[in-house]
Amino acid sequence: MKTKLLLITPPFTQLNTPYPATAYIKGFLNTINIESVQADFGIEVILKLFSKNGLQDLFDNAKIDSSTSDNSKRILALQDEYIKTIDVVIAFLQGKNPTLALQICQEDFLPEASRFAQLEELDWAFGTMGTQDRAKHLATLYLEDISDFIVECIDGNFGFSRYAERLGRSANSFDELYAALQQETTFIDAILISILKERIESIQPTLFLISVPFPGNLYAAFRCAQWVKKNHPNIKISMGGGFPNTELRSLSDARVFEFFDFITLDDGETPVELLCEYVQSSEVELPLKRTFILENGKVVYKNNASKPDYKQSQVGTPDYSDLLLDKYISVIEIVNPMHRMWSDGRWNKMTMAHGCYWGKCTFCDISLDYIKIYEPVAANLLCDRMEEMMLQTGQNGFHYVDEAAPPALMRALALEILRRKLSVTWWTNIRFEKSFTKDLCLLLKASGCIAVSGGLEVASDRLLKLIDKGVTVEQVAKVTRNFTEAGVMVHSYLMYGYPSQTVQETIDSLEMVRQLFEVGVLQSGFWHQFAMTAHSPVGMYPEKFGVIAQQNEITFANNDIAFTDKTGIDHEKFGFGLKKSLYNFMHGICFDYELQDWFDFKIPKTTISPDFIFDALQEEGEFNSKPNAKIVWLGGKPVVDYFTKTKKGNSWEMLTLTFHDKKESFSIQTNKLEGKWLIEMLQKISVSNSRIYTFQEVKSDFESQLEDFELFWYSKPMKTLREFGLLVL
């Protein structure tokens, strides 16, 4: 019998774009001719819930008593208004009903509950937002009001991007989750199972793969598996994805296999291919790769297949077919233009490189294959895949979801995009490497890169060294400046509570962050409290970092480890003040507040100079060009005018070269010989050519015909060209 696969992502991840894991696996399965169908049950449950019928059921099933908040009572009283407006609002957020924005913005169309109270604070921000964006933000608040009602009156585990996350987070024992699965199904479970039932009956798969990226998908994954086991026991079920890859490596609880037949770890391509053979075969003992199964009542880890993992060049193009690409919902929770990119717009998700090229950060799971094994994909293959996905999805926006995109590969990708004249928009995660020069940032921007996110983590040089981050705060400032000046937005991940961090260092980090926003080189950020994970250097060797790990018996999940920091500092109490200050900085206000104003307890004064970041950015960059630097011209061909210059009775021929870019025109003047050489060289080094010239090659070419290259290279006309797209990379 031919194997047929159903691949799903259980609720919930994102509303605006599908999580890419199933698309990656489906793309691979296409290359080996295995039939598969995929679905994102997260968006499907949301669409069924947030509809006229869904809300009617919701209000009919709400549990209201004397302890119910006034806010929920208000929403229930306005239920007819919510039911009347929900379908048109969802269509608007799907991009199908843009004229509704005018009505939403009049603010007497949507019913309003507690989420709208924050509008008064944000009114100043809407001056920079268009009607569509303001309406999208108001519609988001409307959905969040309904969500608050669901959490209080229907299901306390509900969340737009997670479901019953608490049950999956660091559950060393399976007991609590197992007990929850013995309870009656919830209102949300019932919606999920109705969708699952229809899909299983129409597809009739032989193998059901559930990808679980996060703790907030785990409970729903088990509910799906439980229903299929009970109603279709012949279908084999496997779990893979980010959660098992990081959390279930020490699995020993046999009860998990009442729900699943297999759990695979790390890259899924080869394990899934072998599972297909295993399920199809009548042989008892077929080899498996990185797969847990149950044998004689015991959990056994099988890794006895000789078949190697596939190279990144062999895994195929992610395939987004079957997914409801036109049904995803774009929301704007916060008006910051960089911050909203995670929730607004449909992105094709891709990866430039498997793993992390740095692979040293002590808080990171660098012992696991998904980070440890670094393998980049060639730029031309990436562009082939981008073109294929644009045809398939009709979308030209790409989010490269790398651990950290390598600068050299980003440069190669940008050059290839420009050479092919592709019109794309893309963003990715980076390390704030000093190799992100002003010119490289300009190249990335020209290719369609609109934003980068990267880890500043703890904005303290002592702690950055302890983390082995390989950057300094000053270097981060310069790199963020280079991106910002090129027109690329920058988001920074920020961390507090790293082992041995003092209160003074926390406050000094906040001051560094305040200054980075104040000088305008950071546009967005997010503080999170340090979490010690089992597969990171801190988790594996806690004594080296001055922390004492809490040892638990592990039979189920093993990732986050409870610990005591020998400093004895309660880092958690800083969270609210750090996040509140950042929220204001992201909106461009409150830079003049004292740092003490953000906290309701006494903090020390910062030891950072008030101009530390400003002063760091005053230093001039390196002027000299390395012989192997690549020279690229982003502009077009000049219009040439000849004229004669006369001085003290001497005459000589000159050229005026006039260039037109998308915004303006500019001219330079050179003597005839240098001008003719320059016209030819600009054609050779044009970004549309596949051949890339080095600085040494350009210099040698000049010196084969003319003299004094340095004098020419550092002349005023060349300086003008450097400002308008002559890049040294």
Side-chain angles (χ1 to χ4, degrees):
M1 186 176 73
K2 198 176 176 188
T3 312
K4 189 170 187 181
L5 276 68
L6 172 60
L7 323 168
I8 71 152
T9 307
F12 293 109
T13 50
Q14 285 175 275
L15 298 177
N16 63 310
T17 203
Y19 192 79
T22 60
Y24 281 27
I25 291 294
K26 184 175 173 69
F28 162 71
L29 292 170
N30 293 343
T31 69
I32 55 172
N33 297 315
I34 289 180
E35 189 182 355
S36 65
V37 178
Q38 67 182 325
D40 175 0
F41 282 1
I43 192 64
E44 294 191 34
V45 169
I46 289 291
L47 292 176
K48 203 158 185 179
L49 177 59
F50 288 86
S51 65
K52 271 187 180 174
N53 291 339
L55 287 195
Q56 186 65 68
D57 285 350
L58 182 77
F59 290 121
D60 289 348
N61 284 276
K63 301 176 188 77
I64 304 292
D65 56 33
S66 57
S67 65
T68 303
S69 70
D70 288 343
N71 189 57
S72 286
K73 287 174 183 171
R74 172 176 170 77
I75 292 170
L76 186 65
L78 289 167
Q79 62 177 286
D80 289 348
E81 291 300 323
Y82 283 102
I83 291 165
K84 173 183 153 188
T85 50
I86 188 67
D87 284 351
V88 289
V89 169
I90 291 294
F92 168 70
L93 292 173
Q94 290 170 332
K96 295 172 185 169
N97 194 13
T99 53
L100 190 72
L102 299 164
Q103 208 166 355
I104 291 174
C105 287
Q106 288 174 357
E107 293 184 32
D108 60 354
F109 177 71
L110 297 179
E112 297 181 7
S114 64
R115 294 287 182 147
F116 284 77
Q118 64 187 271
L119 265 185
E120 288 166 27
E121 300 170 35
L122 290 180
D123 256 2
W124 54 268
F126 289 118
T128 58
M129 293 181 85
T131 304
Q132 291 290 320
D133 281 353
R134 180 178 174 125
K136 213 180 268 191
H137 181 62
L138 294 169
T140 304
L141 298 178
Y142 159 92
L143 291 183
E144 287 175 338
D145 274 335
I146 302 173
S147 170
D148 292 343
F149 180 83
I150 295 171
V151 170
E152 186 178 356
C153 303
I154 293 286
D155 187 341
N157 286 318
F158 180 75
F160 280 120
S161 58
R162 59 189 64 85
Y163 185 50
E165 183 177 47
R166 183 187 56 79
L167 292 173
R169 188 173 290 287
S170 303
N172 297 154
S173 161
F174 187 48
D175 291 350
E176 193 179 358
L177 178 54
Y178 189 73
L181 292 163
Q182 309 313 310
Q183 304 298 315
E184 287 292 310
T185 53
T186 67
F187 183 82
I188 306 294
D189 293 342
I191 296 174
L192 170 63
I193 287 166
S194 70
I195 293 167
L196 173 66
K197 180 176 186 291
E198 182 276 321
R199 208 59 56 91
I200 291 287
E201 287 171 359
S202 66
I203 293 162
Q204 298 185 337
T206 46
L207 181 57
F208 180 32
L209 300 185
I210 306 179
S211 177
V212 182
F214 307 115
N217 305 88
L218 187 69
Y219 168 82
F222 271 88
R223 272 296 190 206
C224 288
Q226 182 183 47
W227 185 87
V228 172
K229 271 269 169 265
K230 183 180 176 185
N231 294 281
H232 299 272
N234 56 315
I235 297 174
K236 297 295 180 188
I237 310 171
S238 178
M239 184 204 299
F243 181 86
N245 291 351
T246 49
E247 308 246 3
L248 298 186
R249 306 185 83 87
S250 309
L251 179 65
S252 62
D253 195 320
R255 292 175 298 173
V256 171
F257 291 87
E258 293 173 24
F259 305 84
F260 291 94
D261 300 289
F262 314 101
I263 294 175
T264 65
L265 301 183
D266 302 323
D267 291 358
E269 289 84 7
T270 306
V272 167
E273 183 181 14
L274 293 170
L275 279 186
C276 291
E277 293 172 12
Y278 191 95
V279 167
Q280 216 173 340
S281 172
S282 54
E283 287 182 49
V284 180
E285 194 59 45
L286 272 185
L288 293 169
K289 197 170 187 81
R290 296 190 300 270
T291 302
F292 285 108
I293 61 170
L294 197 67
E295 275 187 355
N296 303 319
K298 296 265 191 230
V299 179
V300 179
Y301 183 62
K302 293 279 189 180
N303 194 19
N304 55 352
S306 57
K307 191 176 183 67
D309 280 307
Y310 284 84
K311 296 285 182 196
Q312 290 304 296
S313 58
Q314 302 170 313
V315 296
T317 302
D319 182 350
Y320 284 87
S321 58
D322 313 323
L323 297 174
L324 311 177
L325 297 183
D326 60 338
K327 301 276 179 70
Y328 283 85
I329 301 166
S330 281
V331 295
I332 300 180
E333 299 157 81
I334 180 169
V335 297
N336 178 284
M338 171 75 212
H339 213 80
R340 64 188 270 188
M341 288 176 62
W342 280 270
S343 62
D344 185 20
R346 250 278 300 123
W347 300 99
N348 295 317
K349 306 248 182 183
M350 284 182 65
T351 314
M352 282 188 218
H354 181 288
C356 179
Y357 69 93
W358 179 251
K360 296 179 186 177
C361 297
T362 53
F363 63 81
C364 186
D365 293 339
I366 57 176
S367 65
L368 298 183
D369 285 358
Y370 82 95
I371 290 173
K372 183 172 67 178
I373 298 172
Y374 173 65
E375 188 194 340
V377 181
N380 62 339
L381 183 53
L382 287 173
C383 273
D384 289 346
R385 290 176 178 174
M386 287 172 86
E387 291 190 273
E388 203 177 318
M389 287 172 75
M390 284 193 283
L391 280 174
Q392 181 200 120
T393 66
Q395 303 280 349
N396 72 341
F398 292 86
H399 180 194
Y400 278 96
V401 292
D402 290 64
E403 297 301 315
L409 182 50
M410 288 174 73
R411 179 183 67 191
L413 176 62
L415 288 167
E416 187 67 15
I417 287 169
L418 289 162
R419 188 181 68 76
R420 296 191 190 194
K421 297 182 171 62
L422 298 182
S423 182
V424 295
T425 303
W426 62 279
W427 58 298
T428 189
N429 195 42
I430 62 160
R431 294 183 69 253
F432 291 118
E433 294 270 16
K434 60 179 181 287
S435 42
F436 287 112
T437 60
K438 178 184 174 185
D439 280 13
L440 178 53
C441 292
L442 287 166
L443 175 77
L444 298 174
K445 169 67 175 172
S447 73
C449 178
I450 57 164
V452 292
S453 55
L456 170 54
E457 318 305 354
V458 181
S460 147
D461 286 341
R462 179 189 80 83
L463 290 165
L464 285 170
K465 199 169 179 184
L466 192 61
I467 286 171
D468 205 356
K469 191 74 190 172
V471 300
T472 63
V473 177
E474 194 172 311
Q475 182 183 313
V476 171
K478 288 173 178 172
V479 170
T480 55
R481 185 262 321 270
N482 291 343
F483 275 111
T484 299
E485 288 184 352
V488 177
M489 294 186 291
V490 186
H491 173 90
S492 182
Y493 298 104
L494 305 162
M495 184 192 295
Y496 63 101
Y498 189 81
S500 80
Q501 183 171 5
T502 64
V503 171
Q504 186 66 61
E505 284 171 324
T506 300
I507 299 309
D508 287 351
S509 288
L510 173 57
E511 173 59 16
M512 291 288 204
V513 170
R514 186 194 70 77
Q515 290 186 29
L516 286 163
F517 275 95
E518 187 176 33
V519 299
V521 297
L522 264 190
Q523 287 74 52
S524 172
F526 183 79
W527 284 106
H528 68 275
Q529 190 173 347
F530 168 77
M532 188 163 89
T533 59
H535 312 291
S536 68
V538 182
M540 292 189 289
Y541 313 106
E543 63 287 346
K544 286 187 183 177
F545 297 87
V547 295
I548 300 160
Q550 183 181 309
Q551 300 298 331
N552 292 340
E553 186 191 357
I554 310 294
T555 57
F556 186 55
N558 180 26
N559 192 31
D560 286 10
I561 301 173
F563 67 94
T564 308
D565 189 334
K566 288 179 183 173
T567 62
I569 295 166
D570 176 14
H571 293 290
E572 199 165 320
K573 69 178 183 178
F574 291 93
F576 182 78
L578 291 172
K579 288 168 184 172
K580 185 177 180 183
S581 61
L582 183 65
Y583 183 83
N584 285 279
F585 299 159
M586 284 197 293
H587 289 97
I589 57 172
C590 301
F591 297 122
D592 55 344
Y593 278 36
E594 293 291 329
L595 297 186
Q596 179 64 68
D597 294 344
W598 302 114
F599 301 94
D600 56 7
F601 53 90
K602 189 77 180 136
I603 60 163
K605 285 196 175 300
T606 181
T607 62
I608 304 299
S609 153
D611 295 319
F612 179 89
I613 297 295
F614 179 83
D615 292 343
L617 296 177
Q618 300 317 299
E619 293 175 29
E620 282 301 315
E622 210 175 291
F623 194 58
N624 293 328
S625 302
K626 293 176 182 172
N628 62 347
K630 292 174 167 55
I631 309 297
V632 173
W633 172 237
L634 294 180
K637 292 178 185 175
V639 177
V640 184
D641 287 311
Y642 293 82
F643 69 98
T644 303
K645 194 169 185 178
T646 304
K647 195 172 184 183
K648 293 182 182 177
N650 295 321
S651 297
W652 60 95
E653 284 192 85
M654 297 281 291
L655 299 185
T656 299
L657 306 182
T658 302
F659 297 85
H660 298 275
D661 70 14
K662 282 179 277 192
K663 280 188 172 180
E664 57 191 308
S665 305
F666 66 95
S667 298
I668 61 171
Q669 292 182 347
T670 70
N671 68 47
K672 184 179 177 182
L673 290 175
E674 288 178 348
K676 285 195 159 183
W677 175 85
L678 181 60
I679 293 164
E680 283 182 23
M681 182 48 68
L682 289 177
Q683 279 190 281
K684 288 179 183 176
I685 62 173
S686 169
V687 74
S688 58
N689 294 332
S690 51
R691 163 86 198 272
I692 306 286
Y693 283 77
T694 64
F695 178 77
Q696 185 59 51
E697 287 172 323
V698 172
K699 182 174 186 280
S700 300
D701 191 291
F702 183 94
E703 290 173 344
S704 69
Q705 304 169 43
L706 301 157
E707 294 176 358
D708 289 330
F709 177 73
E710 274 75 15
L711 199 63
F712 173 73
W713 183 252
Y714 297 111
S715 66
K716 189 178 175 184
M718 293 303 287
K719 193 175 178 206
T720 303
L721 284 183
R722 290 292 305 273
E723 290 169 10
F724 285 94
L726 179 61
L727 305 182
V728 179
L729 304 166

